[in-house]
Amino acid sequence: MRGRAEALRRLADETWDVLVIGGGITGAGVALDAASRGLRTALVERDDFAAGTSSRSSKFVHGGLRYLRSRDYGLVAQSVAEQRRLLRNAPHLVRPMAMRLPVAGGARRLVTGALLFTHDLAAGTGISRPVDGGIVFHEAQVDDARLTLAVLRTAVLDHGAVAVNACPVVAVDGEGVTVASGATARARVVVNAAGPWAEGVRALAGPGQAGPRLRPTKGVHVVVARERVPVLGDRCGLAVPDGRGAFAFVAPWEGRVIVGTTDTPYDGGAVECTDHDVELLLSKVNRALDDPLTPDDVLGSWAGLRPLVEGGDGRTELARRHLVAAGHEGMVTVVGGKLTTYRRMAADAVDVVCARLGRRIPCRTARLPIRGAGTGEGRLWLRYGTEAAGVERLGLGRPLVPGLPYLQGEAVWAVREEMALTLEDVLSRRTRATILDARAAAAAAPGVAALLAPELGWDEAETRRQVDGYLATTPSSR
Ligand code: FAD
């Protein structure tokens, strides 16, 4: 996917039916839904694709265990349906994962067992079963940043959309948007998919725009070595009830173990995983582990903001836990929801867009394969699917970061085919080196920058700047 200059030219020259602000999973989903309905579609992202919340989730494609507890069966059904679709449409990226839930005996175990059995049956991910002291049920796992990118690349490469990263929108008016370079893009409908920043983007269009108020909360995760939690199988995690209807969890991922998550109020400022967050998180899960984890075990961490919706106004249309809001003149805002339900969110939003355009075109994404979809084996296949052969053909089979499974060829592919523009794009989102082992990634950063320099035309000063920028913004040790 070379051709950023061409994408920027098209963005400015053409008139778009839909222009999407925000390149997280919601924006990527809207772009794919709109483009696959035949609408002329563009998307602009201020940072990198998935740099916001969509690379910072727990990486579950949820059936909705939490909502079973709160008896929100409608939401469970929606999540399970979307989980099933994702397993079918992106089988190379989404994989079932068994989870063990501790449940005491008696009536409670019977009821929970029956609910989880129904849940698993509907999802088609596996069959739940009682085990000593608990029940094993099934979720699915995904690399959130790669799913976002794959959805977006499907929109661009297979359905003709244009997508540009590092392109912040600074103003919105009735004609379209203005981006930071001063260039304008004309659009009939603007969709605000800026996640936790949606209120800020709405303000760019001036007062009077319809849309919900957001009250984001912060969630952190840490990564530890696989050997530190020997109770887990390769494809089995542990759900840890917190006694208040929510769950912490410990789950294998990419050869390591993810521990998550917290849910604390966010009052602005840097979105980072503090020492206090780590202590809070470990105290949640340690009661379920024989050998407690300590902060010294932490190899990597991340923090994200949940774009939670506080409430609506007279013109909002509540669609489960996500909201599509459309003012008479203004843009269409789509917020809330979760990674798992992005397709449904996008479909609801593009229905509103179509109504605004006066066109009736049905949604086509329910059975639409995500780029790379197919069945195969091997580590590269599980990240690139049918495109794995393209990565292999580059012939750069040396490790990118010592101790991690990524190859140099993946970094070059990221620049040539996946719109990576910076060292951080490559180490944090096209590969997940930063969160799997922050110190190893920091140590490898100069070598990776040297590999990327000829691809991206960096001179010595720019290469140094990339390394310094990466080291300054990513936590290299805890
Ligand atoms: P984002 O991914 O935040 O995207 C918004 C984008 O808008 C950003 O990239 C931002 O840079 C861009 N933007 C902002 N302003 C501008 C501008 N002016 N111009 C251009 N672009 C702009 N969901 C699940 O299904 N499963 C999970 O396991 C799960 N775990 C979670 C754990 C945590 C801790 C959190 C926080 C969330 C979790 N979620 C999970 C929810 C899920 O991650 C989010 O709902 C989803 O990623 C939100 O995507 P989004 O595209 O709406 O927002």
Side-chain angles (χ1 to χ4, degrees):
M1 269 170 90
R2 288 160 250 208
R4 178 179 170 81
E6 169 68 4
L8 284 167
R9 186 196 61 71
R10 284 189 60 196
L11 186 68
D13 284 357
E14 299 181 21
T15 298
W16 304 97
D17 291 325
V18 193
L19 187 137
V20 184
I21 303 174
I25 190 67
T26 307
V30 170
L32 177 55
D33 188 303
S36 61
R37 292 194 209 201
L39 300 178
R40 300 178 59 76
T41 304
L43 178 146
V44 282
E45 160 59 46
R46 72 172 168 196
D47 188 329
D48 181 29
F49 306 119
T53 321
S54 297
S55 57
R56 296 154 188 270
S57 79
S58 301
K59 319 210 182 311
F60 285 116
V61 173
H62 277 295
L65 176 62
R66 184 180 180 147
Y67 310 112
L68 270 182
R69 277 256 164 124
S70 57
R71 301 206 168 91
D72 194 342
Y73 299 123
L75 192 55
V76 177
Q78 187 185 85
S79 298
V80 164
E82 292 305 322
Q83 186 189 57
R84 209 178 175 119
R85 286 190 179 111
L86 263 170
L87 282 160
R88 185 183 57 220
N89 295 340
H92 55 312
L93 298 176
V94 184
R95 278 182 296 288
M97 153 77 51
M99 293 293 289
R100 202 176 141 194
L101 175 69
V103 189
R108 191 187 186 117
R109 182 165 156 131
L110 275 177
V111 172
T112 309
L115 283 172
L116 289 175
F117 183 80
T118 314
H119 166 277
D120 273 18
L121 207 62
T125 39
I127 294 293
S128 71
R129 61 181 193 283
V131 290
D132 194 19
I135 297 171
V136 168
F137 70 104
H138 295 83
E139 292 277 19
Q141 256 187 336
V142 70
D143 181 332
D144 45 8
R146 290 208 65 83
L147 176 69
T148 303
L149 189 72
V151 170
L152 200 53
R153 290 179 75 241
T154 311
V156 171
L157 296 172
D158 299 344
H159 299 278
V162 159
V164 186
N165 48 358
C167 190
V169 170
V170 294
V172 181
D173 60 29
E175 304 290 307
V177 306
T178 306
V179 298
S181 66
T184 54
R186 288 182 304 279
R188 298 195 168 92
V189 181
V190 173
V191 174
N192 174 357
W197 301 277
E199 277 189 80
V201 165
R202 207 165 68 227
L204 298 176
Q209 291 291 323
R213 281 192 63 76
L214 297 182
R215 194 192 289 172
T217 64
K218 185 171 90 165
V220 306
H221 296 79
V222 300
V223 168
V224 300
R226 186 74 187 71
E227 309 77 70
R228 286 297 291 113
V229 198
V231 290
L232 300 179
D234 266 354
R235 307 269 348 126
C236 186
L238 188 65
V240 185
D242 71 355
R244 286 176 290 147
F247 297 86
F249 72 91
V250 183
W253 193 69
E254 300 273 311
R256 307 262 151 121
V257 169
I258 300 180
V259 181
T261 176
T262 53
D263 194 358
T264 52
Y266 171 72
D267 302 323
V271 186
E272 58 191 13
C273 179
T274 64
D275 291 345
H276 175 69
D277 291 324
V278 173
E279 278 166 30
L280 181 70
L281 175 59
L282 296 186
S283 72
K284 277 180 159 196
V285 295
N286 274 340
R287 51 206 160 93
L289 301 178
D290 294 335
D291 184 7
L293 296 167
T294 75
D296 287 343
D297 291 315
V298 173
L299 299 172
S301 63
W302 69 91
L305 295 180
R306 294 181 183 82
L308 299 184
V309 176
E310 189 180 271
D313 65 23
R315 287 181 294 189
T316 57
E317 169 202 323
L318 185 61
R320 308 278 176 177
R321 295 279 175 89
H322 61 268
L323 273 173
V324 179
H328 287 310
E329 301 294 333
M331 60 187 149
V332 173
T333 299
V334 51
V335 280
K338 48 191 178 155
L339 193 82
T340 308
T341 52
Y342 82 90
R343 194 204 62 84
R344 173 69 193 272
M345 294 173 72
D348 290 348
V350 179
D351 282 349
V352 173
V353 169
C354 284
R356 178 74 54 91
L357 293 170
R359 297 173 67 178
R360 292 185 60 165
I361 319 167
C363 170
R364 295 183 175 140
T365 55
R367 291 186 164 270
L368 194 76
I370 301 302
R371 203 162 174 91
T375 44
E377 289 295 327
R379 195 193 70 79
L380 283 181
W381 180 275
L382 296 177
R383 296 174 58 72
Y384 301 92
T386 55
E387 295 187 324
V391 180
E392 267 163 347
R393 266 198 301 277
L394 292 173
L396 294 161
R398 290 226 188 107
L400 186 68
V401 175
L404 294 178
Y406 306 112
L407 308 177
Q408 291 187 346
E410 295 182 73
V412 171
W413 176 266
V415 172
R416 292 189 190 167
E417 306 296 335
E418 297 181 340
M419 300 181 277
L421 294 176
T422 69
L423 178 61
E424 195 194 335
D425 296 350
V426 170
L427 288 174
S428 298
R429 287 172 292 276
R430 303 305 182 279
T431 73
R432 309 311 300 272
T434 307
I435 58 171
L436 288 180
D437 194 332
R439 282 187 197 179
V448 179
L451 176 72
L452 299 179
E455 295 293 326
L456 284 155
W458 297 339
D459 60 16
E460 216 171 289
E462 178 59 20
T463 308
R464 185 70 242 159
R465 206 182 65 77
Q466 288 286 329
V467 175
D468 291 346
Y470 174 75
L471 296 179
T473 54
T474 50
S476 60
S477 64
R478 290 215 70 86

